[in-house]
Amino acid sequence: MAKSQKINPFILLVLQGVDEEIENGLEGITLNIAGNNRLIPVERVTGEDFQILSRVLKNPYINGLDVRYNLLSDVGAYYAAKLLQKQYNLIYLNLMFNDIGPEGGELIANALHKNKILKYLRMTGNKIENEGGMFFAAMLQINSSLEKLDLGDCDLEMQSVIAFATVLTQNQNIKGINLNRPILYGEQEESTVHLSHMLKENHCLVELHMSKHGIRNGGIKQLCDALFLNKSLRYLDVSCNKITCDGMVFLADVLKSNTTLEVIDLSFNRIETAGAKYLSETLISHNRSLKALSVVSNNIEGEGLIALSQSVKTNLTLSNIYIWGNKFDEATCVEYSELIQMGCLKPDNTDVEPYVVDGRVYLAEVSHGLKKHYYWTPSYGEACSHSANAGFSFVPVGQHL
Protein backbone atom coordinates (compact mmCIF):
# COMPACT_ATOMS: atom_id res chain seq x y z
CA MET A 1 0.00 0.00 0.00
CA ALA A 2 1.42 3.36 -0.98
CA LYS A 3 2.38 5.52 1.98
CA SER A 4 0.61 8.48 0.40
CA GLN A 5 -2.76 6.68 0.36
CA LYS A 6 -5.30 8.60 2.39
CA ILE A 7 -7.13 6.57 5.04
CA ASN A 8 -10.90 6.95 4.85
CA PRO A 9 -11.97 9.00 7.94
CA PHE A 10 -15.15 6.91 8.26
CA ILE A 11 -13.05 3.76 8.70
CA LEU A 12 -10.86 5.52 11.29
CA LEU A 13 -13.93 6.60 13.27
CA VAL A 14 -15.34 3.06 13.34
CA LEU A 15 -11.98 1.55 14.30
CA GLN A 16 -11.68 3.95 17.26
CA GLY A 17 -14.99 2.62 18.57
CA VAL A 18 -13.81 -0.96 18.09
CA ASP A 19 -10.62 -0.24 20.05
CA GLU A 20 -12.76 0.91 22.97
CA GLU A 21 -14.88 -2.26 22.78
CA ILE A 22 -11.74 -4.43 22.80
CA GLU A 23 -10.38 -2.53 25.82
CA ASN A 24 -13.67 -3.26 27.60
CA GLY A 25 -13.11 -6.98 27.03
CA LEU A 26 -15.64 -7.58 24.23
CA GLU A 27 -15.03 -10.45 21.82
CA GLY A 28 -16.78 -11.57 18.65
CA ILE A 29 -17.03 -7.98 17.38
CA THR A 30 -18.65 -7.16 14.03
CA LEU A 31 -17.02 -4.21 12.29
CA ASN A 32 -19.97 -2.09 11.10
CA ILE A 33 -18.92 0.16 8.23
CA ALA A 34 -22.32 0.46 6.54
CA GLY A 35 -22.34 3.18 3.89
CA ASN A 36 -25.96 4.09 4.67
CA ASN A 37 -25.31 5.06 8.29
CA ARG A 38 -27.18 8.31 8.91
CA LEU A 39 -25.95 9.05 12.43
CA ILE A 40 -22.31 9.80 11.70
CA PRO A 41 -20.50 11.43 8.74
CA VAL A 42 -19.96 8.78 6.08
CA GLU A 43 -17.39 8.74 3.30
CA ARG A 44 -18.33 5.58 1.45
CA VAL A 45 -15.71 2.87 1.35
CA THR A 46 -14.09 2.16 -2.03
CA GLY A 47 -12.30 -0.92 -3.29
CA GLU A 48 -8.93 0.62 -2.42
CA ASP A 49 -10.11 1.41 1.13
CA PHE A 50 -10.96 -2.27 1.56
CA GLN A 51 -7.26 -3.10 1.32
CA ILE A 52 -6.70 -1.26 4.62
CA LEU A 53 -9.59 -3.09 6.25
CA SER A 54 -8.15 -6.46 5.33
CA ARG A 55 -5.14 -5.66 7.52
CA VAL A 56 -7.32 -4.76 10.51
CA LEU A 57 -9.18 -8.05 10.33
CA LYS A 58 -6.13 -9.95 11.55
CA ASN A 59 -7.39 -8.91 15.01
CA PRO A 60 -8.68 -12.07 16.78
CA TYR A 61 -11.43 -10.07 18.54
CA ILE A 62 -13.15 -9.24 15.22
CA ASN A 63 -15.18 -12.01 13.55
CA GLY A 64 -17.69 -10.06 11.43
CA LEU A 65 -17.55 -7.36 8.77
CA ASP A 66 -20.53 -5.35 7.48
CA VAL A 67 -19.70 -3.04 4.57
CA ARG A 68 -23.17 -2.80 3.01
CA TYR A 69 -24.07 0.12 0.72
CA ASN A 70 -20.54 1.18 -0.16
CA LEU A 71 -18.61 1.46 -3.43
CA LEU A 72 -16.38 -1.60 -3.35
CA SER A 73 -16.97 -2.74 -6.98
CA ASP A 74 -14.88 -5.59 -8.39
CA VAL A 75 -11.73 -3.98 -6.97
CA GLY A 76 -13.07 -4.40 -3.45
CA ALA A 77 -14.21 -7.93 -4.34
CA TYR A 78 -10.57 -8.72 -5.21
CA TYR A 79 -9.43 -7.68 -1.73
CA ALA A 80 -12.42 -9.43 -0.12
CA ALA A 81 -11.36 -12.62 -1.90
CA LYS A 82 -7.79 -12.18 -0.62
CA LEU A 83 -9.21 -11.72 2.86
CA LEU A 84 -11.22 -14.95 2.63
CA GLN A 85 -8.19 -16.85 1.38
CA LYS A 86 -6.16 -15.80 4.43
CA GLN A 87 -8.80 -17.41 6.66
CA TYR A 88 -8.81 -15.05 9.60
CA ASN A 89 -11.59 -15.36 12.22
CA LEU A 90 -14.23 -13.94 9.86
CA ILE A 91 -17.50 -15.87 10.16
CA TYR A 92 -19.83 -13.11 8.81
CA LEU A 93 -19.29 -10.96 5.72
CA ASN A 94 -21.94 -8.53 4.43
CA LEU A 95 -21.16 -7.10 0.98
CA MET A 96 -24.73 -6.18 -0.01
CA PHE A 97 -25.25 -3.44 -2.64
CA ASN A 98 -21.63 -2.72 -3.48
CA ASP A 99 -21.64 -2.67 -7.30
CA ILE A 100 -19.88 -6.03 -7.46
CA GLY A 101 -20.31 -7.63 -10.88
CA PRO A 102 -19.79 -11.12 -12.37
CA GLU A 103 -15.97 -10.86 -12.22
CA GLY A 104 -16.01 -9.90 -8.54
CA GLY A 105 -18.51 -12.67 -7.85
CA GLU A 106 -16.16 -15.18 -9.46
CA LEU A 107 -13.23 -14.00 -7.30
CA ILE A 108 -15.23 -14.31 -4.06
CA ALA A 109 -16.74 -17.68 -5.00
CA ASN A 110 -13.31 -19.11 -5.90
CA ALA A 111 -11.86 -17.84 -2.61
CA LEU A 112 -14.51 -19.81 -0.75
CA HIS A 113 -13.34 -23.10 -2.27
CA LYS A 114 -10.69 -23.38 0.45
CA ASN A 115 -12.15 -21.17 3.18
CA LYS A 116 -13.26 -23.18 6.22
CA ILE A 117 -14.20 -20.31 8.55
CA LEU A 118 -16.93 -18.16 6.96
CA LYS A 119 -20.48 -19.12 8.02
CA TYR A 120 -22.66 -16.40 6.45
CA LEU A 121 -22.16 -14.37 3.27
CA ARG A 122 -24.52 -11.64 2.04
CA MET A 123 -24.13 -10.68 -1.61
CA THR A 124 -27.60 -9.11 -1.83
CA GLY A 125 -28.06 -6.58 -4.62
CA ASN A 126 -24.71 -7.13 -6.34
CA LYS A 127 -25.41 -7.81 -10.03
CA ILE A 128 -23.25 -10.91 -10.35
CA GLU A 129 -25.80 -12.18 -12.88
CA ASN A 130 -26.05 -15.71 -14.21
CA GLU A 131 -22.29 -16.06 -14.71
CA GLY A 132 -21.45 -15.16 -11.10
CA GLY A 133 -24.31 -17.32 -9.84
CA MET A 134 -22.83 -20.36 -11.58
CA PHE A 135 -19.50 -19.81 -9.80
CA PHE A 136 -21.28 -19.70 -6.43
CA ALA A 137 -23.21 -22.88 -7.24
CA ALA A 138 -19.94 -24.61 -8.15
CA MET A 139 -18.43 -23.36 -4.89
CA LEU A 140 -21.18 -25.05 -2.87
CA GLN A 141 -20.03 -28.39 -4.27
CA ILE A 142 -16.68 -27.88 -2.53
CA ASN A 143 -17.14 -25.57 0.48
CA SER A 144 -18.07 -27.38 3.69
CA SER A 145 -18.34 -24.53 6.20
CA LEU A 146 -20.78 -21.96 4.76
CA GLU A 147 -24.18 -22.20 6.47
CA LYS A 148 -26.09 -19.25 5.00
CA LEU A 149 -25.85 -17.58 1.59
CA ASP A 150 -27.88 -14.58 0.42
CA LEU A 151 -27.97 -13.99 -3.34
CA GLY A 152 -31.21 -12.02 -3.43
CA ASP A 153 -31.53 -9.27 -6.09
CA CYS A 154 -28.35 -10.48 -7.81
CA ASP A 155 -29.92 -10.89 -11.28
CA LEU A 156 -29.51 -14.66 -11.26
CA GLU A 157 -31.13 -16.41 -14.22
CA MET A 158 -32.83 -19.75 -14.72
CA GLN A 159 -29.59 -21.65 -15.35
CA SER A 160 -27.97 -20.57 -12.08
CA VAL A 161 -31.16 -21.10 -10.04
CA ILE A 162 -31.38 -24.65 -11.40
CA ALA A 163 -27.68 -25.11 -10.61
CA PHE A 164 -28.30 -24.12 -6.97
CA ALA A 165 -31.27 -26.49 -6.76
CA THR A 166 -29.11 -29.31 -8.14
CA VAL A 167 -26.15 -28.63 -5.84
CA LEU A 168 -28.38 -28.39 -2.75
CA THR A 169 -29.66 -31.93 -3.28
CA GLN A 170 -26.12 -32.97 -2.24
CA ASN A 171 -24.85 -30.12 -0.02
CA GLN A 172 -25.71 -30.91 3.59
CA ASN A 173 -24.10 -27.84 5.19
CA ILE A 174 -26.18 -24.92 3.91
CA LYS A 175 -28.99 -24.17 6.38
CA GLY A 176 -30.32 -20.97 4.80
CA ILE A 177 -30.37 -19.67 1.22
CA ASN A 178 -31.92 -16.59 -0.36
CA LEU A 179 -32.58 -16.69 -4.11
CA ASN A 180 -35.00 -13.75 -4.25
CA ARG A 181 -35.85 -11.96 -7.50
CA PRO A 182 -34.04 -13.91 -10.22
CA ILE A 183 -34.50 -12.74 -13.81
CA LEU A 184 -36.84 -15.40 -15.21
CA TYR A 185 -38.59 -15.63 -18.55
CA GLY A 186 -41.61 -17.74 -19.47
CA GLU A 187 -44.52 -19.08 -17.46
CA GLN A 188 -43.34 -22.65 -16.86
CA GLU A 189 -42.22 -22.11 -13.22
CA GLU A 190 -39.09 -24.16 -13.88
CA SER A 191 -37.21 -22.66 -10.96
CA THR A 192 -39.98 -23.69 -8.57
CA VAL A 193 -40.09 -27.22 -10.00
CA HIS A 194 -36.34 -27.69 -9.48
CA LEU A 195 -36.31 -26.16 -5.99
CA SER A 196 -39.26 -28.37 -5.03
CA HIS A 197 -37.33 -31.43 -6.17
CA MET A 198 -34.38 -30.22 -4.08
CA LEU A 199 -36.59 -30.01 -0.97
CA LYS A 200 -37.51 -33.67 -1.40
CA GLU A 201 -33.83 -34.65 -1.30
CA ASN A 202 -32.36 -32.08 1.10
CA HIS A 203 -32.79 -32.67 4.83
CA CYS A 204 -30.62 -29.87 6.25
CA LEU A 205 -32.04 -26.65 4.78
CA VAL A 206 -34.12 -24.78 7.38
CA GLU A 207 -34.63 -21.40 5.64
CA LEU A 208 -35.61 -20.82 1.99
CA HIS A 209 -36.43 -17.45 0.39
CA MET A 210 -38.19 -17.55 -3.00
CA SER A 211 -39.64 -14.06 -3.24
CA LYS A 212 -40.42 -12.73 -6.74
CA HIS A 213 -40.08 -16.08 -8.50
CA GLY A 214 -43.38 -15.70 -10.35
CA ILE A 215 -44.83 -18.65 -8.40
CA ARG A 216 -48.43 -19.44 -9.33
CA ASN A 217 -50.79 -22.06 -7.96
CA GLY A 218 -49.06 -24.85 -9.90
CA GLY A 219 -45.75 -23.84 -8.35
CA ILE A 220 -47.07 -23.74 -4.79
CA LYS A 221 -48.56 -27.20 -5.38
CA GLN A 222 -45.08 -28.47 -6.35
CA LEU A 223 -43.61 -26.93 -3.19
CA CYS A 224 -46.35 -28.39 -1.00
CA ASP A 225 -45.86 -31.86 -2.50
CA ALA A 226 -42.18 -31.57 -1.52
CA LEU A 227 -43.07 -30.39 1.99
CA PHE A 228 -44.95 -33.63 2.63
CA LEU A 229 -41.53 -35.34 2.43
CA ASN A 230 -39.24 -32.60 3.79
CA LYS A 231 -38.69 -32.68 7.55
CA SER A 232 -36.15 -29.87 8.01
CA LEU A 233 -37.52 -26.62 6.50
CA ARG A 234 -38.71 -24.20 9.19
CA TYR A 235 -38.96 -20.87 7.32
CA LEU A 236 -40.56 -20.59 3.87
CA ASP A 237 -40.68 -17.21 2.14
CA VAL A 238 -42.87 -17.11 -0.99
CA SER A 239 -43.77 -13.41 -0.74
CA CYS A 240 -44.31 -11.20 -3.82
CA ASN A 241 -45.53 -14.00 -6.08
CA LYS A 242 -48.78 -14.77 -7.96
CA ILE A 243 -50.39 -17.24 -5.55
CA THR A 244 -54.19 -17.08 -5.24
CA CYS A 245 -56.79 -18.75 -3.02
CA ASP A 246 -56.56 -22.01 -5.01
CA GLY A 247 -52.92 -22.34 -3.99
CA MET A 248 -53.94 -22.12 -0.33
CA VAL A 249 -55.84 -25.42 -0.71
CA PHE A 250 -52.48 -27.18 -1.19
CA LEU A 251 -50.73 -25.25 1.60
CA ALA A 252 -53.57 -25.86 4.06
CA ASP A 253 -53.42 -29.55 3.19
CA VAL A 254 -49.69 -29.91 3.83
CA LEU A 255 -49.96 -27.96 7.10
CA LYS A 256 -52.25 -30.67 8.44
CA SER A 257 -49.34 -33.11 8.58
CA ASN A 258 -46.16 -30.97 8.41
CA THR A 259 -44.74 -30.43 11.90
CA THR A 260 -41.52 -28.54 11.09
CA LEU A 261 -42.65 -25.31 9.35
CA GLU A 262 -42.63 -22.47 11.88
CA VAL A 263 -42.66 -19.33 9.70
CA ILE A 264 -44.50 -18.75 6.42
CA ASP A 265 -44.33 -15.47 4.51
CA LEU A 266 -47.19 -15.06 2.01
CA SER A 267 -47.00 -11.25 1.86
CA PHE A 268 -47.93 -9.53 -1.41
CA ASN A 269 -49.75 -12.42 -3.05
CA ARG A 270 -53.50 -12.59 -3.70
CA ILE A 271 -54.92 -15.32 -1.48
CA GLU A 272 -58.02 -13.22 -0.72
CA THR A 273 -60.75 -14.16 1.76
CA ALA A 274 -61.20 -17.74 0.52
CA GLY A 275 -57.48 -18.48 0.89
CA ALA A 276 -57.41 -17.03 4.41
CA LYS A 277 -60.33 -19.29 5.35
CA TYR A 278 -58.55 -22.41 4.05
CA LEU A 279 -55.51 -21.58 6.18
CA SER A 280 -57.63 -20.72 9.20
CA GLU A 281 -59.48 -24.04 9.16
CA THR A 282 -56.19 -26.00 9.22
CA LEU A 283 -54.62 -23.77 11.88
CA ILE A 284 -57.67 -24.18 14.13
CA SER A 285 -58.16 -27.92 13.79
CA HIS A 286 -54.83 -29.54 12.84
CA ASN A 287 -51.56 -27.62 12.78
CA ARG A 288 -49.72 -26.95 16.05
CA SER A 289 -46.24 -26.09 14.76
CA LEU A 290 -46.65 -22.81 12.82
CA LYS A 291 -45.56 -19.83 14.95
CA ALA A 292 -45.66 -16.89 12.53
CA LEU A 293 -47.76 -16.12 9.45
CA SER A 294 -47.61 -13.03 7.25
CA VAL A 295 -50.50 -12.32 4.88
CA VAL A 296 -49.70 -8.62 4.35
CA SER A 297 -51.36 -7.11 1.25
CA ASN A 298 -53.31 -10.15 0.05
CA ASN A 299 -56.66 -8.51 -0.76
CA ILE A 300 -58.28 -10.27 2.22
CA GLU A 301 -61.61 -8.83 3.36
CA GLY A 302 -63.07 -8.73 6.87
CA GLU A 303 -64.50 -12.24 6.88
CA GLY A 304 -61.13 -13.81 6.06
CA LEU A 305 -59.25 -11.65 8.58
CA ILE A 306 -61.71 -12.58 11.34
CA ALA A 307 -61.25 -16.26 10.45
CA LEU A 308 -57.50 -15.84 10.93
CA SER A 309 -58.08 -14.10 14.27
CA GLN A 310 -59.97 -17.21 15.40
CA SER A 311 -56.87 -19.24 14.56
CA VAL A 312 -54.82 -17.09 16.93
CA LYS A 313 -57.43 -17.52 19.68
CA THR A 314 -57.61 -21.27 19.31
CA ASN A 315 -54.06 -22.18 18.32
CA LEU A 316 -51.71 -21.31 21.17
CA THR A 317 -48.60 -22.01 19.05
CA LEU A 318 -49.49 -19.37 16.44
CA SER A 319 -48.16 -16.30 18.25
CA ASN A 320 -47.37 -13.89 15.37
CA ILE A 321 -49.67 -12.73 12.58
CA TYR A 322 -49.19 -9.82 10.16
CA ILE A 323 -52.24 -8.50 8.29
CA TRP A 324 -51.60 -4.89 7.22
CA GLY A 325 -52.55 -3.91 3.66
CA ASN A 326 -55.78 -5.91 3.55
CA LYS A 327 -59.38 -4.65 3.65
CA PHE A 328 -60.32 -3.78 7.23
CA ASP A 329 -63.98 -3.30 8.07
CA GLU A 330 -65.24 -2.25 11.50
CA ALA A 331 -65.82 -5.84 12.66
CA THR A 332 -62.20 -6.72 11.80
CA CYS A 333 -60.86 -3.73 13.74
CA VAL A 334 -62.95 -4.66 16.80
CA GLU A 335 -61.90 -8.31 16.58
CA TYR A 336 -58.15 -7.58 16.51
CA SER A 337 -58.53 -4.92 19.18
CA GLU A 338 -60.16 -7.48 21.47
CA LEU A 339 -57.55 -10.07 20.55
CA ILE A 340 -54.79 -7.74 21.73
CA GLN A 341 -56.68 -6.59 24.86
CA MET A 342 -57.38 -10.19 25.88
CA GLY A 343 -53.68 -11.03 25.62
CA CYS A 344 -54.20 -13.63 22.87
CA LEU A 345 -52.06 -11.52 20.55
CA LYS A 346 -49.17 -9.51 21.99
CA PRO A 347 -48.71 -5.99 20.56
CA ASP A 348 -45.13 -6.84 19.51
CA ASN A 349 -46.32 -9.87 17.55
CA THR A 350 -48.47 -8.13 14.96
CA ASP A 351 -48.22 -5.15 12.61
CA VAL A 352 -51.43 -3.38 13.65
CA GLU A 353 -52.41 -1.33 16.68
CA PRO A 354 -55.99 -0.37 17.58
CA TYR A 355 -57.07 3.21 18.26
CA VAL A 356 -60.48 4.80 18.82
CA VAL A 357 -61.97 7.89 17.16
CA ASP A 358 -65.51 9.02 18.01
CA GLY A 359 -66.29 5.67 19.58
CA ARG A 360 -65.20 3.64 16.54
CA VAL A 361 -62.18 1.29 16.53
CA TYR A 362 -59.59 1.56 13.76
CA LEU A 363 -56.26 -0.20 13.13
CA ALA A 364 -52.99 1.64 12.50
CA GLU A 365 -49.84 0.14 11.01
CA VAL A 366 -46.91 -0.62 13.31
CA SER A 367 -43.39 -1.29 12.02
CA HIS A 368 -43.34 -4.95 13.00
CA GLY A 369 -42.88 -7.95 10.72
CA LEU A 370 -40.88 -11.01 9.76
CA LYS A 371 -37.93 -9.15 8.20
CA LYS A 372 -38.46 -5.39 8.39
CA HIS A 373 -34.73 -4.73 8.61
CA TYR A 374 -33.65 -6.95 5.74
CA TYR A 375 -32.56 -4.02 3.54
CA TRP A 376 -31.84 -1.41 6.20
CA THR A 377 -31.23 -0.99 9.92
CA PRO A 378 -32.87 1.69 12.09
CA SER A 379 -31.05 4.83 13.21
CA TYR A 380 -31.96 4.14 16.82
CA GLY A 381 -33.16 1.21 18.88
CA GLU A 382 -32.20 -2.41 18.51
CA ALA A 383 -31.34 -3.40 14.92
CA CYS A 384 -32.26 -7.06 15.36
CA SER A 385 -35.36 -6.64 17.53
CA HIS A 386 -37.75 -9.58 17.69
CA SER A 387 -40.80 -7.46 16.90
CA ALA A 388 -39.40 -6.17 13.58
CA ASN A 389 -37.58 -9.36 12.55
CA ALA A 390 -39.62 -12.20 14.00
CA GLY A 391 -38.69 -14.61 11.20
CA PHE A 392 -35.02 -14.34 12.12
CA SER A 393 -35.84 -14.68 15.83
CA PHE A 394 -37.79 -17.91 15.34
CA VAL A 395 -35.29 -19.41 12.88
CA PRO A 396 -31.89 -17.89 13.72
CA VAL A 397 -29.61 -19.23 10.98
CA GLY A 398 -26.36 -17.34 11.55
CA GLN A 399 -25.86 -14.55 14.07
CA HIS A 400 -27.07 -11.76 11.81
CA LEU A 401 -30.10 -10.82 9.73
Side-chain angles (χ1 to χ4, degrees):
M1 184 176 69
K3 288 183 180 177
S4 60
Q5 184 175 347
K6 171 178 168 284
I7 298 177
N8 187 317
F10 179 38
I11 294 176
L12 284 176
L13 185 65
V14 172
L15 291 180
Q16 287 170 4
V18 170
D19 286 341
E20 291 174 10
E21 289 180 341
I22 292 171
E23 285 174 12
N24 292 332
L26 285 178
E27 295 183 9
I29 297 168
T30 294
L31 208 56
N32 187 350
I33 310 182
N36 64 338
N37 191 323
R38 297 181 298 280
L39 296 181
I40 54 177
V42 169
E43 183 180 321
R44 297 205 176 194
V45 177
T46 64
E48 290 75 16
D49 292 330
F50 201 87
Q51 187 179 6
I52 301 167
L53 276 178
S54 62
R55 297 185 174 192
V56 175
L57 287 161
K58 294 176 184 176
N59 192 313
Y61 293 99
I62 298 171
N63 68 7
L65 176 61
D66 184 346
V67 285
R68 68 178 79 190
Y69 296 105
N70 281 293
L71 305 169
L72 298 188
S73 72
D74 288 344
V75 175
Y78 170 80
Y79 291 116
K82 290 286 186 188
L83 180 66
L84 292 169
Q85 287 170 348
K86 289 173 183 172
Q87 302 211 41
Y88 296 136
N89 300 311
L90 205 64
I91 61 172
Y92 169 62
L93 178 59
N94 188 339
L95 297 171
M96 67 187 284
F97 292 97
N98 262 292
D99 295 328
I100 297 171
E103 290 181 12
E106 179 184 357
L107 291 168
I108 292 167
N110 289 341
L112 287 170
H113 282 210
K114 294 181 180 178
N115 183 287
K116 293 181 171 61
I117 307 295
L118 194 72
K119 300 287 186 190
Y120 181 14
L121 173 65
R122 279 197 78 171
M123 290 290 292
T124 321
N126 292 299
K127 309 307 179 189
I128 62 171
E129 301 176 355
N130 194 61
E131 181 187 345
M134 292 301 289
F135 286 113
F136 274 96
M139 174 272 293
L140 289 183
Q141 292 180 298
I142 300 165
N143 183 286
S144 59
S145 63
L146 200 65
E147 293 181 358
K148 191 171 182 179
L149 177 62
D150 190 334
L151 293 173
D153 304 295
C154 284
D155 288 1
L156 303 179
E157 293 178 16
M158 185 66 75
Q159 183 189 16
S160 49
V161 173
I162 291 173
F164 279 109
T166 305
V167 167
L168 288 172
T169 58
Q170 303 297 325
N171 184 301
Q172 300 298 309
N173 300 299
I174 288 285
K175 293 182 172 63
I177 191 160
N178 188 317
L179 299 172
N180 287 351
R181 212 222 67 189
I183 306 297
L184 304 176
Y185 302 98
E187 303 292 332
Q188 300 301 312
E189 299 187 73
E190 271 187 80
S191 66
T192 312
V193 171
H194 284 273
L195 288 167
S196 299
H197 175 70
M198 176 273 292
L199 285 174
K200 292 178 182 177
E201 305 289 328
N202 184 299
H203 300 292
C204 287
L205 196 69
V206 298
E207 180 181 349
L208 175 61
H209 296 268
M210 295 177 63
S211 181
K212 302 176 187 174
H213 270 244
I215 300 172
R216 298 170 185 269
N217 294 329
I220 196 71
K221 182 181 186 301
Q222 294 271 355
L223 284 171
C224 290
D225 287 346
L227 290 171
F228 277 110
L229 301 173
N230 184 285
K231 302 300 178 190
S232 65
L233 196 71
R234 294 167 57 198
Y235 186 164
L236 176 64
D237 175 7
V238 286
S239 59
C240 304
N241 282 294
K242 300 176 181 178
I243 304 165
T244 70
C245 59
D246 292 339
M248 291 304 97
V249 175
F250 309 120
L251 185 57
D253 195 31
V254 77
L255 285 176
K256 290 176 182 176
S257 57
N258 183 292
T259 56
T260 50
L261 269 175
E262 295 177 21
V263 180
I264 298 178
D265 192 348
L266 290 165
S267 307
F268 305 100
N269 281 283
R270 201 173 178 84
I271 71 169
E272 301 184 315
T273 301
K277 284 183 172 180
Y278 290 136
L279 287 177
S280 174
E281 287 166 13
T282 294
L283 292 171
I284 288 172
S285 59
H286 292 85
N287 185 281
R288 290 297 179 269
S289 57
L290 194 70
K291 295 178 180 176
L293 173 66
S294 178
V295 290
V296 169
S297 295
N298 263 278
N299 202 39
I300 304 171
E301 295 181 350
E303 193 179 346
L305 294 168
I306 289 172
L308 287 171
S309 76
Q310 296 304 313
S311 306
V312 178
K313 274 185 188 173
T314 310
N315 186 334
L316 299 180
T317 311
L318 183 63
S319 60
N320 293 53
I321 189 162
Y322 305 97
I323 61 167
W324 185 257
N326 291 293
K327 298 181 176 179
F328 301 150
D329 56 17
E330 188 173 2
T332 303
C333 297
V334 170
E335 181 69 24
Y336 280 86
S337 175
E338 290 177 355
L339 208 58
I340 293 169
Q341 287 173 1
M342 289 162 55
C344 298
L345 182 60
K346 293 181 179 176
D348 281 352
N349 295 350
T350 187
D351 58 349
V352 293
E353 182 178 42
Y355 66 98
V356 179
V357 176
D358 294 335
R360 179 171 173 175
V361 180
Y362 296 88
L363 295 177
E365 184 184 13
V366 186
S367 190
H368 296 162
L370 294 178
K371 52 179 194 297
K372 279 285 183 183
H373 299 152
Y374 174 73
Y375 287 112
W376 59 279
T377 49
S379 299
Y380 59 91
E382 192 182 349
C384 297
S385 67
H386 170 83
S387 59
N389 307 287
F392 173 73
S393 299
F394 283 127
V395 187
V397 179
Q399 296 178 9
H400 304 267
L401 271 174

